[in-house]
Amino acid sequence: MMNFAADRKRFLAVSAVLLLIALAAIALLGVRRDLPYQDGFVLTYTYQGELDSRPFQEAVETVVGRRVTVQAKTDWAAGLSSYEVSFPGDVALTTQEQMGLTATLASTFPDNEIALDSALVLKAAVGWDFWLKCLLCMGVAAAVTVLFFSLRFPSIGGWQAGILTVAAFAHNLLLAAGGYALFRIPFGGQFFAVALVILFFTLYSAAGLFGHIRDNRRLLGKKVSPAELVNQSIVQYLPRLLTVLACAAMMLAALSVMALLGQADAILSFTFPLLVGILSCGYGAICLAGPLWAGWQGEKNSEKQG
């Protein structure tokens, strides 16, 4: 039987490496904010037939000399396909620049009948107060989590389990945020939907594990060490947890592949970071929260004996 409690330092080292990669991606690459969260300029081009987004984006960037974001749109009622070209920042193209870009695109893709449909100047609809409120909500969720675990598992040091669960949630959330930065996924309101789902799976994973620890403490008594208690509880709980997480991960992986093939960026920006977060939820509960709880309890028992 694998000794999870004894390997907690190794697990911490793996998490430290993953978190450093995530933080480095956020710091060095930055996070691309979605359009409602930044100023910008958007051109919409309609086209006929089949037109891949990558060469279209490359042609636009060659003309304008800056990075742009291209998102596919389809008007099923009118039978029209279009691309939205987003220019982050407060610098819009002049009318002559728009005409020059349109002419270049039309000559580059002559079979697609490309035409400029609209040009919009956008102002950020969401300011810093929105982000502060979201952080406040996260703080309230963390406090409620600690309170819940304190009341639910008082016999095994519930408040400690709650703190470790919150730490596991922060770990999972940072890895998901690193996925946004590393894979250049636009960061917007969908991130908080991702955060809520990750919070649910973190609570599910941790509460199930600490429930087994509490029940085994009742059955085996206090003669069994916290490390043995955690190892036995993990062995009992792991198959069920892996089944649940594997089902969710396979569904999200399938949706991510379909969104990638169909160029559905809005779906991919939700499913892929969530996939990263859910995979880390099992690791956070089994390899971090449980073993760290055993170490915490072991140190507390040593202090009492000393």
Side-chain angles (χ1 to χ4, degrees):
M1 182 174 67
M2 184 175 178
N3 195 337
F4 288 89
D7 290 334
R8 59 181 177 272
K9 291 184 179 179
R10 294 182 182 178
F11 296 140
L12 280 173
V14 172
S15 291
V17 171
L18 293 175
L19 289 175
L20 282 175
I21 294 173
L23 292 173
I26 294 172
L28 299 177
L29 300 177
V31 177
R32 288 174 52 200
R33 290 180 295 169
D34 207 355
L35 284 178
Y37 302 85
Q38 63 178 338
D39 295 333
F41 179 66
V42 178
L43 296 176
T44 301
Y45 284 97
T46 59
Y47 65 91
Q48 301 294 325
E50 298 292 330
L51 179 58
D52 189 67
S53 64
R54 290 178 179 84
F56 181 83
Q57 180 174 347
E58 291 172 358
V60 174
E61 291 177 344
T62 300
V63 174
V64 301
R66 72 181 80 170
R67 295 283 296 175
V68 299
T69 302
V70 173
Q71 186 172 4
K73 300 286 185 180
T74 302
D75 186 343
W76 300 105
L80 292 176
S81 298
S82 62
Y83 280 127
E84 282 189 354
V85 183
S86 304
F87 300 80
D90 55 359
V91 179
L93 297 184
T94 64
T95 303
Q96 290 183 343
E97 289 174 332
Q98 295 175 34
M99 292 174 62
L101 175 59
T102 303
T104 301
L105 292 174
S107 61
T108 305
F109 307 101
D111 298 330
N112 297 108
E113 300 180 17
I114 294 178
L116 178 61
D117 183 64
S118 64
L120 297 174
V121 177
L122 302 178
K123 292 296 181 182
V126 179
W128 284 107
D129 57 336
F130 173 79
W131 304 106
L132 291 175
K133 289 177 182 178
C134 290
L135 289 176
L136 177 62
C137 290
M138 294 293 180
V140 171
V144 172
T145 298
V146 174
L147 178 62
F148 168 77
F149 276 78
S150 300
L151 297 176
R152 190 76 178 86
F153 307 110
S155 60
I156 60 169
W159 67 271
Q160 297 168 332
I163 290 175
L164 292 172
T165 300
V166 171
F169 170 62
H171 167 271
N172 303 334
L173 198 61
L174 277 174
L175 291 182
Y180 274 95
L182 193 60
F183 295 96
R184 313 307 298 145
I185 299 173
F187 181 92
Q190 76 278 5
F191 177 75
F192 297 99
V194 170
L196 288 174
V197 179
I198 291 176
L199 175 61
F200 167 77
F201 276 98
T202 302
L203 292 176
Y204 173 84
S205 303
L209 175 60
F210 286 114
H212 276 75
I213 293 174
R214 177 198 57 195
D215 296 340
N216 285 328
R217 172 63 78 193
R218 291 174 180 171
L219 291 173
L220 303 176
K222 295 186 177 181
K223 294 182 179 180
V224 177
S225 68
E228 294 174 325
L229 193 64
V230 166
N231 289 332
Q232 182 169 337
S233 299
I234 289 176
V235 169
Q236 294 171 347
Y237 180 54
L238 191 57
R240 187 181 76 182
L241 178 62
L242 288 180
T243 300
V244 173
L245 295 181
C247 290
M250 286 189 292
M251 179 190 69
L252 289 169
L255 288 173
S256 297
V257 171
M258 292 174 62
L260 183 63
L261 295 176
Q263 300 179 359
D265 295 339
I267 297 176
L268 187 63
S269 66
F270 175 78
T271 57
F272 183 75
L274 183 55
L275 174 61
V276 175
I278 284 181
L279 290 176
S280 66
C281 283
Y283 183 85
I286 298 300
C287 300
L288 295 179
L292 290 177
W293 176 89
W296 198 340
Q297 292 295 312
E299 291 180 1
K300 188 172 70 172
N301 293 341
S302 298
E303 291 177 359
K304 287 182 179 179
Q305 294 175 358

